[in-house]
Amino acid sequence: MTVGQLPKCSKNPKDSESIELQRVPASKSVAGGVFDPRGLLTSLPDAARKLSPRHQARNPVMFVVWVGSIITTVLAVARPSWFAWLTAAWLWFTVLFANLAESVAEGRGKAQADSLRKVKTDTVAHRIAASGGTEQVPGAELRVGDRVVVEAGQVIPGDGDVVEGIATVDESAITGESAPVVRESGGDRCAVTGGTTVLSDRIVVQITAAPGETFVDRMIALVEGAARQKTPNEIALNILLASLTIVFLFAVVAIGPMTAYVGRQPDPIRLIALLVCLIPTTIGALLSAIGIAGMDRLVQRNVLAMSGRAVEAAGDIDTLLMDKTGTITYGNRRATELIPAPGVRAEELARAARLSSLADGTPEGRSIVELCAAEFGLTVGADPGEQRGEFVAFTAQTRMSGMDLDGREIRKGAADSVLAWVGQSADRASAEVSGAVQAVAQDGGTPLVVAERGPAGVRLLGTIRLSDVVKPGMAERFAQLRAMGIKTVMITGDNPLTARAIAAEAGVDDFMAEATPEDKLALIRKEQEGGRLVAMTGDGTNDAPALAQADVGVAMNTGTSAAKEAGNMVDLDSDPTKLIEVVEIGKQLLITRGALTTFSLANDLAKYFAILPALFSGVYPALGRLNIMGLHSPNSAIISAVIFNALIIVVLIPLALKGVRYRPASASRLLGRNLLVYGLGGVIAPFLGIWLIDLVVRFIPGIG
């Protein structure tokens, strides 16, 4: 393993006319707009159903309001008056609006779930039997390990990995992207999702998920909210809100005896109104909606979060580890050049490179065959007897592959392995080939060396250049991460020279070369031991342990099933730079929760000036000076405060669903801005709102 440090890099990545970074705009989401009146109306029945005591008991703040609404209603029936009935009605509206916020957020998830259910269709699978033939079985009968044949025009019956063949697949039902994608065996782009359609060719898929546990099933459960668990911060805030509610409850209960002591009969309806206005009802009503909306915003960007905790952790990550192949680069390294050794003709090198790759099913091996066909006209049958050759598979020990044909042993592989294989018999050629290998690596390519043993002895034939293509816009997006205070580290199994060139082109801060899965785990644990949160993106089976260890593990949808199982997020677009949006959404979730909590607590100041003079001005006339808003009467002041307390929830629903806008900045600047906007705004808004409402309610009989 080699770790390198790079200077800050702003170099633009290499342009590619043939490859574009596909991105799905949020407008493609079935969730529709962030907020609309129709969404409120359609969510009202569900909000009314949530008035049950079982549901209300889950939220301590709103449970107190719910109990207060019942008591006020009973008192209004026993001693009817306009004031009592209006107070009871608006207390019920407060509970209903709190339910409405949650219902609107859940309704967006249900719309997405309904769209996903259309993907789940009963399909007939062509399962490969033990005899080698195929049998038709319902897709629901497939089990993990079964192999099925899927041809052009057929729907893939279940989640799995392509183990044979290559095909274009329509995944628009899952990702919303109309452009077909390529799925093939022998690489990290082998995973397929049940419900997608094969458009061309024929593939054999090995099933990796049982019916009911597929990717689509998990998506449906998550977007509906059935699998959403409260995050640690959300639980902590709930405890804080419950504690504040208990404190205010004891304070208001104590007012009754104090009022009786001075010779006045306490009005329970007024005390209940005071309690409801003082406890943090605004954030208590919107807290659940904020969490649901945060996960929904991820789904709109085609990222599936397995837990709300992962979304929250994304807002606090300090280090981002990114696998190079398939993440920073497009993944499939392609042969782009053949460099003959001294005394070797280019066509001779091409023939040997082709023979060594004929049975190589990896994308790199296929690209070598394609290059030889395109530049040298070497097609099927170009070499007599090639069908009789015995293929030598690549192994981690030899790091070579090739073919044995008519007494010749042809090998291609890593430079050090091939040079060791030829031994001391090609010293002069070794120096020349080593120079070519170093030049390819310094340019950011991956060198493979070709050699042969035969009757004429051992010869080095030359070098194959494999090139990675860095995805467009990577340097700019890494610069954004740097502005957020996030350190980026590229991890690759390539040699240090290749890794340095790719890392400089992509614009990452650090890189780790010749990394093994154990090295990745060690680096993540080292960062975590320092108190830093780590995010990891990857797509290969060898990335799975690191994805599982990281605080935020984002697996590419094009990757293997093992990677998707290990991560706690899946990017359906397979765009590693999407993690920037994930970080922004995580930060936005935390900022929104903090901003609305600040606003809710700041609201109480105006309510003190509205309700306390109304309650005690008759006993302590000096308290009348606190009526700085000039409210018309004690009853109108109390009703105005209760109405404002209910309406502000509806006003803030769009903000809870959309989230407070996040701009990359330091924590102190973000805190200062939010205190100014939501702290000061939370103080001013209720003064203005309660005063305007009082101008209207004062004309209601029995109120003024």
Side-chain angles (χ1 to χ4, degrees):
M1 177 190 72
T2 303
V3 179
Q5 178 87 19
L6 289 174
K8 304 303 182 215
C9 177
S10 61
K11 179 182 177 181
N12 289 328
K14 193 178 297 180
D15 293 329
S16 175
E17 296 180 359
S18 59
I19 305 176
E20 294 181 359
L21 192 63
Q22 299 290 343
R23 300 184 62 79
V24 180
S27 60
K28 287 190 177 182
S29 169
V30 294
V34 172
F35 180 80
D36 61 86
R38 182 178 299 178
L40 284 178
L41 293 176
T42 56
S43 299
L44 273 175
D46 187 52
R49 285 191 291 269
K50 291 179 183 291
L51 291 173
S52 65
R54 179 179 298 180
H55 181 84
Q56 295 302 317
R58 300 174 186 171
N59 188 332
V61 177
M62 299 315 301
F63 181 72
V64 170
V65 181
W66 180 79
V67 172
S69 303
I70 294 176
I71 296 174
T72 305
T73 303
V74 172
L75 294 174
V77 172
R79 291 180 295 175
S81 68
W82 277 103
F83 173 75
W85 280 114
L86 275 177
T87 304
W90 279 101
L91 290 180
W92 281 114
F93 281 139
T94 303
V95 181
L96 183 66
F97 292 159
N99 294 342
L100 187 62
E102 186 176 11
S103 296
V104 171
E106 289 178 347
R108 290 146 56 90
K110 290 177 180 177
Q112 292 167 334
D114 291 340
S115 176
L116 288 170
R117 283 194 179 92
K118 297 176 183 178
V119 177
K120 295 186 61 179
T121 57
D122 295 329
T123 58
V124 175
H126 299 271
R127 183 170 61 188
I128 299 177
S131 61
T134 59
E135 56 183 357
Q136 292 189 3
V137 297
E141 294 184 7
L142 293 175
R143 295 295 178 262
V144 176
D146 286 348
R147 293 193 174 195
V148 296
V149 177
V150 190
E151 297 181 345
Q154 295 179 349
V155 175
I156 297 173
D159 293 1
D161 291 329
V162 179
V163 295
E164 181 182 320
I166 179 172
T168 54
V169 179
D170 177 10
E171 294 186 341
S172 58
I174 303 294
T175 66
E177 177 56 60
S178 58
V181 296
V182 176
R183 294 291 177 262
E184 57 189 343
S185 62
D188 289 339
R189 297 177 180 270
C190 61
V192 291
T193 305
T196 57
T197 304
V198 172
L199 299 179
S200 68
D201 303 294
R202 173 187 182 276
I203 53 176
V204 176
V205 177
Q206 181 168 310
I207 300 300
T208 58
E213 301 175 2
T214 65
F215 193 61
V216 173
D217 290 317
R218 287 188 293 163
M219 286 182 68
I220 292 173
L222 286 165
V223 299
E224 278 188 323
R228 192 186 89 89
Q229 297 179 346
K230 291 183 178 180
T231 65
N233 281 355
E234 192 173 349
I235 293 172
L237 185 54
N238 264 319
I239 294 173
L240 173 63
L241 297 181
S243 301
L244 289 174
T245 300
I246 293 172
V247 169
F248 283 123
L249 178 62
F250 283 132
V252 171
V253 169
I255 290 177
M258 292 170 59
T259 306
Y261 179 77
V262 296
R264 292 181 65 90
Q265 185 66 28
D267 185 347
I269 294 180
R270 290 186 174 187
L271 293 179
I272 291 172
L274 173 64
L275 174 62
V276 170
C277 289
L278 294 185
I279 63 177
T281 52
T282 304
I283 185 60
L286 299 174
L287 187 59
S288 179
I290 293 170
I292 295 173
M295 294 189 69
D296 177 73
R297 285 195 294 275
L298 272 182
V299 175
Q300 289 185 32
R301 288 160 177 80
N302 279 355
V303 177
L304 177 63
M306 303 303 179
S307 69
R309 182 170 186 168
V311 184
E312 201 169 78
D316 287 329
I317 67 168
D318 304 292
T319 305
L320 168 60
L321 309 182
M322 304 184 78
D323 181 59
K324 175 184 74 79
T325 305
T327 306
I328 292 176
T329 66
Y330 276 100
N332 290 345
R333 295 173 297 178
R334 299 190 60 82
T336 56
E337 184 183 4
L338 300 179
I339 307 172
V344 178
R345 293 181 297 108
E347 185 175 353
E348 184 180 2
L349 171 60
R351 286 184 179 276
R354 176 179 174 276
L355 286 173
S356 66
S357 306
L358 281 177
D360 187 350
T362 65
E364 292 84 358
R366 287 195 290 266
S367 73
I368 294 173
V369 175
E370 293 169 1
L371 177 66
C372 294
E375 294 194 1
F376 298 92
L378 300 177
T379 56
V380 177
D383 292 281
E386 63 184 36
Q387 300 298 328
R388 301 193 309 270
E390 181 180 352
F391 179 64
V392 179
F394 175 89
T395 66
Q397 290 73 30
T398 65
R399 299 174 68 197
M400 296 187 299
S401 63
M403 178 178 285
D404 294 342
L405 174 64
D406 296 335
R408 299 165 60 202
E409 298 177 32
I410 304 171
R411 297 291 185 270
K412 77 169 190 301
D416 54 348
S417 298
V418 176
L419 290 173
W421 184 71
V422 300
Q424 302 296 322
S425 57
D427 289 339
R428 178 176 174 276
S430 295
E432 297 288 344
V433 170
S434 296
V437 166
Q438 188 173 9
V440 170
Q442 287 177 338
D443 290 341
T446 300
L448 296 179
V449 175
V450 182
E452 72 169 354
R453 284 177 180 169
V458 181
R459 290 198 306 159
L460 280 172
L461 300 179
T463 306
I464 304 172
R465 181 195 296 270
L466 298 179
S467 299
D468 275 352
V469 179
V470 175
K471 297 184 177 181
M474 294 298 291
E476 289 80 359
R477 305 217 67 166
F478 285 142
Q480 289 179 334
L481 286 170
R482 198 172 296 116
M484 297 178 190
I486 298 173
K487 172 186 174 183
T488 55
V489 182
M490 183 189 79
I491 301 178
T492 177
D494 286 342
N495 64 70
L497 290 175
T498 301
R500 177 177 291 276
I502 293 293
E505 183 178 356
V508 297
D509 297 318
D510 301 330
F511 68 90
M512 173 184 286
E514 298 176 343
T516 65
E518 292 77 15
D519 294 332
K520 298 177 187 179
L521 272 177
L523 179 58
I524 292 174
R525 288 169 178 163
K526 180 181 177 181
E527 292 285 327
Q528 291 172 333
E529 287 171 1
R532 292 177 287 273
L533 293 182
V534 181
M536 167 80 184
T537 65
D539 60 353
T541 300
N542 64 338
D543 295 324
L547 288 170
Q549 177 67 33
D551 300 284
V552 179
V554 183
M556 302 295 105
N557 190 43
T558 57
T560 61
S561 297
K564 290 195 284 188
E565 288 292 333
N568 49 24
M569 291 187 186
V570 177
D571 178 13
L572 301 181
D573 292 336
S574 300
D575 172 13
T577 63
K578 186 77 68 66
L579 188 61
I580 295 176
E581 295 181 30
V582 173
V583 171
E584 289 176 347
I585 290 172
K587 289 183 179 294
Q588 188 181 47
L589 175 65
L590 296 174
I591 291 172
T592 301
R593 191 180 292 152
L596 292 183
T597 301
T598 302
F599 186 89
S600 178
L601 297 178
N603 263 237
D604 288 347
L605 182 61
K607 298 168 189 174
Y608 296 150
F609 285 95
I611 296 182
L612 291 179
L615 288 175
F616 297 107
S617 59
V619 180
Y620 303 105
L623 287 178
R625 298 175 183 175
L626 295 179
N627 184 17
I628 60 177
M629 289 178 280
L631 303 180
H632 185 265
S633 69
N635 282 353
S636 71
I638 293 172
I639 286 294
S640 297
V642 171
I643 293 175
F644 176 85
N645 197 59
L647 292 180
I648 196 64
I649 295 174
V650 180
V651 173
L652 292 177
I653 288 178
L655 184 61
L657 297 182
K658 185 178 180 180
V660 175
R661 185 178 179 184
Y662 170 73
R663 298 183 183 89
S666 64
S668 59
R669 288 190 61 185
L670 291 174
L671 178 61
R673 187 186 68 188
N674 285 339
L675 285 176
L676 178 64
V677 175
Y678 297 99
L680 184 60
V683 172
I684 296 174
F687 277 100
L688 181 61
I690 292 173
W691 177 73
L692 291 174
I693 294 171
D694 179 76
L695 295 179
V696 176
V697 300
R698 67 176 60 183
F699 297 106
I700 299 176
I703 300 298

